[in-house]
Amino acid sequence: MEKQGESVVDPKSAVGGGVDDVYGEDRASEDQLITPWTVSVASGYTLLRDPHHNKGLAFTERERDSHYLRGLLPPAVVTQELQEKKLMQNIRSYDVPLHKYVAMMELEERNERLFYKLLIDNVEELLPVVYTPTVGEACQKYGSIFKRPQGLYISLKEKGKILEVLRNWPERNIQVIVVTDGERILGLGDLGCQGMGIPVGKLALYTALGGVRPSACLPVTIDVGTNNQKLLDDEFYIGLKQKRATGKEYYDLLEEFMSAVKQNYGEKVLVQFEDFANHNAFELLSKYRTSHLVFNDDIQGTASVVLAGLVASLKLLGGSLADHTFLFLGAGEAGTGIAELIALEISTKTNIPVEEARKKIWLVDSKGLIVGSRKESLQHFKKPWAHEHEPVTTLLDAVKAIKPSVLIGTSGVGQTFTKEVVEAMAAFNERPLIMALSNPTSQAECTAEQAYTWTEGRAIFSSGSPFDPYEYNGNLFIPGQANNAYIFPGLGFGLVIAGAIRVHDEMLLAASEALANQVTQEHYDKGMIYPPLTNIRKISAHIAANVAAKAYDLGLATRLPRPTDLVKYAESCMYTPNYRSYR
């Protein structure tokens, strides 16, 4: 194999700190012949039944002869592009999003590469199908659309045996684990064991948008029971039929899980906590961030993507972050996580202490503005945000009192940015920045149309779930989507290619800056503060390179020597879904 500059990667030591690329998943191995191993070399019927290797009608004449496929397939030989065209037509013919979701999941179980090819090439169209909002409905009905188990289910029954359970998973080289306990799925609440749809969907995005190999991804659901009475009474419920375990029993199970993961997969496996309830999310993150490579997308991913939007919007608003005042509606995981990262960025850029930077940021929860006089009764993660001010009970009064330039909604309650609130924002801001971040669309604090209409087209608007472009007075506005899918795939991939052993807040800032730098003047002219999702793989490569660079700078990277051109290196390590040729 001839050397061509930097980007040629020795297949034995490809990405993942020297993990062999057995399935030929990375870009660097696209032109090499691979052997379709399962336990032995797969051929004939087993080859068609193996989603890693199955190509359907795209098997060539030569492959049909050498792998005993003659007669098992119709005679046509087609290209992957034609298969993609046919499947997209099928998927577009469904009116119900859930049917599209089921069709995509069935494709993933049949032909993995084709599934990712569709997702990568049609990312804006299919992202809402495999992830929010459709994945929420899929989780609610997971029991009835459940065909083949995907991922690992670890319940209280497995206590003491979690290491054995991990060893039951067929893949040995795991790089990213997404784990949920199903207690707070999106804005839908406790779905217990049916929350598995979330880790499965999230990992599909790690691969499609970030380039992590599918074989290196492991979805896990930890089942400690559910407090959802409807599920407990449902005879078809697939999880443990008991109330949620809490306290010591709960934390002991998670401790065993985290230890088993480290023991089985080593120091460099990324564990992403997903959709845990507030109290557990903060607890688990602070407990494991010093000993494991852990990341909580609801706290850190959301914060990083919102910060990127804020940094990008400064081009439209003028000034620096420190010149603005921020008001949040909602003081849970997302709200406090975003607020903390904004304060950290202000403090890094201006060299003032974080405590000082926090004073630019105000939070409103269900009882009103968080102020000093409430300090005694506040949960610990809200305390840093209790500034001196007289008590204010409603959001409207808080807006009038604080006069923020940026209003951010993370409340999980729809239509809380009322006409009065938005008009008040527009009264003292030339260009009010309004972020209605709650998912799914029905829970958004206000719609794009409302934000543009009530501010007479002056608002810069972004949301958590997608809204269509809106025309106001002959101007077309494209609402931004502060979608975590911009950040976590690139962030995770950056950690993997650097072989990082810890996640540091500075890496989140690096990810935000990389994303903000991808917004061009052309985007700003349309009022966009996020780049379009169509170039997400290029964006992810830049985010990954920035995060990896930070990991090397902080001495947390183990993949040595450090590649000279990190963007090029990230691109060569990315998973590509094109079919490989079999010997």
Side-chain angles (χ1 to χ4, degrees), residues 240-258:
L240 285 185
K241 290 206 174 174
Q242 62 172 70
K243 288 279 188 229
R244 276 187 179 276
T246 53
K248 187 173 176 339
E249 188 182 7
Y250 176 82
Y251 283 108
D252 284 354
L253 190 73
L254 273 134
E255 173 61 33
E256 188 193 339
F257 170 71
M258 292 303 286

Side-chain angles (χ1 to χ4, degrees), residues 218-290:
L218 172 60
V220 177
T221 295
I222 293 195
D223 184 358
V224 292
T226 176
N227 295 339
N228 183 334
Q229 202 49 49
K230 217 170 109 207
L231 293 179
L232 293 172
D233 299 339
D234 178 1
E235 60 171 332
F236 298 125
Y237 177 54
I238 57 178
L240 285 185
K241 290 206 174 174
Q242 62 172 70
K243 288 279 188 229
R244 276 187 179 276
T246 53
K248 187 173 176 339
E249 188 182 7
Y250 176 82
Y251 283 108
D252 284 354
L253 190 73
L254 273 134
E255 173 61 33
E256 188 193 339
F257 170 71
M258 292 303 286
S259 308
V261 159
K262 201 165 174 177
Q263 197 179 333
N264 206 32
Y265 302 121
E267 191 87 47
K268 296 178 292 193
V269 63
L270 172 63
V271 179
Q272 180 186 318
F273 296 122
E274 183 68 29
D275 287 353
F276 281 77
N278 274 359
H279 51 282
N280 292 331
F282 286 104
E283 184 66 32
L284 291 168
L285 189 60
S286 64
K287 182 172 177 183
Y288 292 110
R289 65 188 308 172
T290 51

Side-chain angles (χ1 to χ4, degrees), residues 81-99:
E81 288 62 39
L82 194 68
Q83 289 179 315
E84 179 179 13
K85 185 178 168 188
K86 180 184 99 177
L87 279 161
M88 282 311 294
Q89 279 179 0
N90 289 356
I91 285 166
R92 286 176 184 139
S93 69
Y94 293 118
D95 296 330
V96 183
L98 190 64
H99 293 164

Side-chain angles (χ1 to χ4, degrees), residues 329-330 395 407-418 422 434-447 450 454 461-464 467:
L329 175 64
L395 175 64
L407 180 63
I408 299 177
T410 56
S411 60
V413 185
Q415 294 300 309
T416 35
F417 290 173
T418 57
V422 175
I434 295 172
M435 298 183 122
L437 300 176
S438 297
N439 287 326
T441 321
S442 55
Q443 304 310 113
E445 283 78 6
C446 68
T447 65
Q450 289 167 334
W454 293 338
F461 175 81
S462 72
S463 55
F467 279 103

Side-chain angles (χ1 to χ4, degrees), residues 330-543:
E333 290 174 55
T336 50
I338 299 164
E340 192 57 53
L341 205 61
I342 295 173
L344 189 65
E345 176 79 356
I346 291 176
S347 123
T348 326
K349 287 280 181 281
T350 55
N351 287 331
I352 59 170
V354 172
E355 295 69 33
E356 200 55 38
R358 287 191 185 122
K359 294 186 175 145
K360 310 286 297 173
I361 304 168
W362 298 79
L363 277 66
V364 171
D365 64 5
S366 54
K367 298 186 177 62
L369 191 63
I370 295 182
V371 291
S373 54
R374 291 178 49 192
K375 208 156 189 174
E376 290 313 303
S377 61
L378 290 173
Q379 290 158 286
H380 70 93
F381 55 87
K382 293 182 185 178
K383 286 197 165 95
W385 308 101
H387 310 316
E388 287 319 308
H389 196 284
E390 64 273 10
V392 177
T393 47
T394 69
L395 175 64
L396 182 59
D397 292 340
V399 168
K400 287 177 174 166
I402 304 296
K403 296 201 168 24
S405 43
V406 180
L407 180 63
I408 299 177
T410 56
S411 60
V413 185
Q415 294 300 309
T416 35
F417 290 173
T418 57
K419 188 166 193 276
E420 294 73 33
V421 168
V422 175
E423 283 175 347
M425 282 293 293
F428 43 79
N429 288 303
E430 178 53 39
R431 301 214 60 183
L433 177 55
I434 295 172
M435 298 183 122
L437 300 176
S438 297
N439 287 326
T441 321
S442 55
Q443 304 310 113
E445 283 78 6
C446 68
T447 65
E449 181 179 340
Q450 289 167 334
Y452 294 128
T453 312
W454 293 338
T455 61
E456 295 157 351
R458 289 186 290 136
I460 300 167
F461 175 81
S462 72
S463 55
S465 288
F467 279 103
D468 291 329
Y470 181 68
E471 194 169 325
Y472 182 84
N473 277 355
N475 289 330
L476 187 67
F477 294 101
I478 301 182
Q481 191 189 352
N483 190 331
N484 295 20
Y486 279 114
I487 290 282
F488 73 82
L491 177 78
F493 190 55
L495 295 167
V496 164
I497 62 173
I501 52 170
R502 299 287 176 270
V503 179
H504 201 285
D505 283 339
E506 286 182 39
M507 297 176 187
L508 301 175
L509 298 181
S512 300
E513 283 165 17
L515 176 56
N517 289 338
Q518 296 292 314
V519 187
T520 63
Q521 191 54 49
E522 178 195 348
H523 301 143
Y524 286 127
D525 294 342
K526 298 176 184 161
M528 294 162 71
I529 51 174
Y530 290 103
L533 269 166
T534 31
N535 332 347
I536 184 70
R537 291 198 36 121
K538 174 175 162 279
I539 296 166
S540 291
H542 281 273
I543 293 175

Side-chain angles (χ1 to χ4, degrees), residues 134-206:
T134 315
V135 74
E137 189 189 349
C139 286
Q140 288 172 309
K141 303 178 178 162
Y142 207 72
S144 50
I145 58 177
F146 173 85
K147 300 232 172 47
R148 259 190 219 181
Q150 293 173 294
L152 277 181
Y153 293 86
I154 295 175
S155 72
L156 289 166
K157 290 183 185 174
E158 278 72 53
K159 181 148 185 49
K161 300 185 242 177
I162 296 183
L163 190 58
E164 290 170 41
V165 173
L166 292 179
R167 290 183 175 151
N168 288 344
W169 186 251
E171 300 296 344
R172 290 283 168 265
N173 302 320
I174 299 298
Q175 292 167 343
V176 184
I177 293 175
V178 175
V179 58
T180 184
D181 69 352
E183 190 167 0
R184 191 202 56 82
I185 298 294
L186 301 173
L188 304 168
D190 187 344
L191 297 182
C193 197
Q194 298 185 175
M196 182 55 104
I198 296 287
V200 169
K202 213 78 217 204
L203 284 165
L205 302 190
Y206 264 109

